[in-house]
Amino acid sequence: MRAIVCEKYGSADVLELKEIKKPIPTENQVLVRVYAASLNYGNLVLLQGKPFLARFAFGLTKPKYSIPGGDIAGIVEAVGQNVKLFKAGDEVFGDLSGYGWGGFAEYVTVPEDALSLKPTNITFEEAAAAPMAGVTALQGLRDKGKLTSGQKVLINGASGGVGTFAVQIAKSLGAEVTGVCSTRNVEILRSIGADHIIDYKKEDFTQDEKCYDLILGVNGSHSISAYKRVLKPHGRFVHVGGSEFQLFQALFLGPFISMTGSKKISNLLQRANQKDLDDLKELLETGQVKPIIDQRFRLSEITEAFNYFQEGHAQGKVVITV
């Protein structure tokens, strides 16, 4: 089979398309023929080995996981004898980031709890765009953010992969949603139901009078104190992505701020799990959430796909058609 192989840390130029041996499922695994995959920030970390702390999980001197790719969608080709949830021919999707990665390939073997049945009303490409970004948004809003109906939420970085899911999931939870994006992305946020849109090139929301019950920081470089300023009493800020400076502030200042006042600052480390994937599947099947795809690339165009993704201007997700 063909697969993208990464044997050392570096730029997208170190990625190679190679012929390797097709995997065979063990008694507890599912063999999936991959139809589509997608790019996420975790793929960049796996490629570059940055920030350096990530190397303690991904390998200190070279990648522990030689085939990148977390999100996949495809068809089950074979199952091990102990697999109970799936059978050959099932259409599935899932996030492999907690199971050894390996999605940028024509076939992959994974434990059955990494997968869920693909929603029947969306394509393989749309399904591949959903797992990691969608579950990240769900965990940030519902679990870390404790978002409830009627609350006001601001999503900074609302037009990217996680952000477009977050806008729609927040609406499904009954929140009043403000999305922050650049001028070119205003129409996308309007099309997915944002109640209010702030163009950060024209306005700094941290200097506004309006305050929020929850701020989901998907992107940006504002200081934690700037976010705190526009939180309501007992409001929450959840850091999902953004500058390294902001990450370290959330990690090291966040606990102190949370202990000494009513406003809570936390950092989300997304955890792939089947229950949340099933919850996301229901949102996709009922049409409350629809994946937004910016660009599609073939497996042989993986370098171009990474270079485009690294520019940081994708409107929604970047998908690899396998």
Side-chain angles (χ1 to χ4, degrees), residues 224-273:
I224 294 301
S225 61
Y227 280 118
K228 182 185 173 187
R229 186 184 307 122
V230 287
L231 282 176
K232 292 182 179 180
H234 305 288
R236 295 173 181 270
F237 168 76
V238 178
H239 176 272
V240 176
S243 67
E244 286 190 34
F245 168 72
Q246 188 184 97
L247 169 62
F248 283 112
Q249 280 203 322
L251 283 172
F252 298 110
L253 290 181
F256 175 77
I257 293 171
S258 300
M259 286 189 295
T260 56
S262 68
K263 300 177 182 181
K264 305 301 179 187
I265 309 294
S266 63
N267 182 69
L268 174 69
L269 179 61
Q270 184 258 17
R271 301 287 186 183
N273 68 87

Side-chain angles (χ1 to χ4, degrees), residues 48-187:
Q48 299 172 342
K50 298 177 183 178
F52 187 82
L53 286 175
R55 295 195 182 198
F56 290 97
F58 291 155
L60 280 175
T61 59
K62 66 178 183 178
K64 186 194 317 186
Y65 308 110
S66 59
I67 302 175
D71 289 340
I72 64 159
I75 295 179
V76 174
E77 181 157 300
V79 299
Q81 62 183 13
N82 292 339
V83 172
K84 307 296 184 186
L85 299 178
F86 304 102
K87 64 183 185 304
D90 284 344
E91 296 183 354
V92 295
F93 76 133
D95 174 6
L96 314 185
S97 62
Y99 306 89
W101 301 78
F104 293 159
E106 292 178 325
Y107 293 89
V108 66
T109 51
V110 292
E112 62 181 335
D113 57 359
L115 303 170
S116 183
L117 290 172
K118 181 183 81 66
T120 57
N121 59 324
I122 62 175
T123 66
F124 284 106
E125 291 177 338
E126 289 173 325
M132 194 181 296
V135 168
T136 297
L138 187 64
Q139 292 176 354
L141 294 166
R142 183 193 64 188
D143 303 337
K144 279 278 189 178
K146 312 295 184 187
L147 185 65
T148 58
S149 181
Q151 289 190 320
K152 292 178 168 56
V153 58
L154 180 137
I155 299 163
N156 191 22
S159 60
V162 174
T164 51
F165 280 101
V167 169
Q168 297 174 82
I169 291 172
K171 289 296 294 180
S172 77
L173 293 172
E176 181 181 321
V177 181
T178 298
V180 181
C181 66
S182 63
T183 308
R184 66 189 285 266
N185 296 320
V186 167
E187 288 305 317

Side-chain angles (χ1 to χ4, degrees), residues 258-296:
S258 300
M259 286 189 295
T260 56
S262 68
K263 300 177 182 181
K264 305 301 179 187
I265 309 294
S266 63
N267 182 69
L268 174 69
L269 179 61
Q270 184 258 17
R271 301 287 186 183
N273 68 87
Q274 195 173 55
K275 182 186 179 302
D276 287 346
L277 188 62
D278 287 339
D279 290 343
L280 178 63
K281 173 179 178 284
E282 183 177 347
L283 291 170
L284 292 163
E285 285 184 328
T286 56
Q288 296 178 78
V289 172
K290 183 176 177 59
I292 305 298
I293 296 175
D294 182 313
Q295 294 275 9
R296 295 166 172 84

Side-chain angles (χ1 to χ4, degrees), residues 189-208:
L189 294 197
R190 189 171 287 124
S191 72
I192 59 176
D195 298 293
H196 313 285
I197 302 169
I198 296 175
D199 181 346
Y200 68 77
K201 293 188 174 182
K202 299 178 180 178
E203 180 182 352
D204 182 355
F205 69 88
T206 66
Q207 301 300 319
D208 203 351

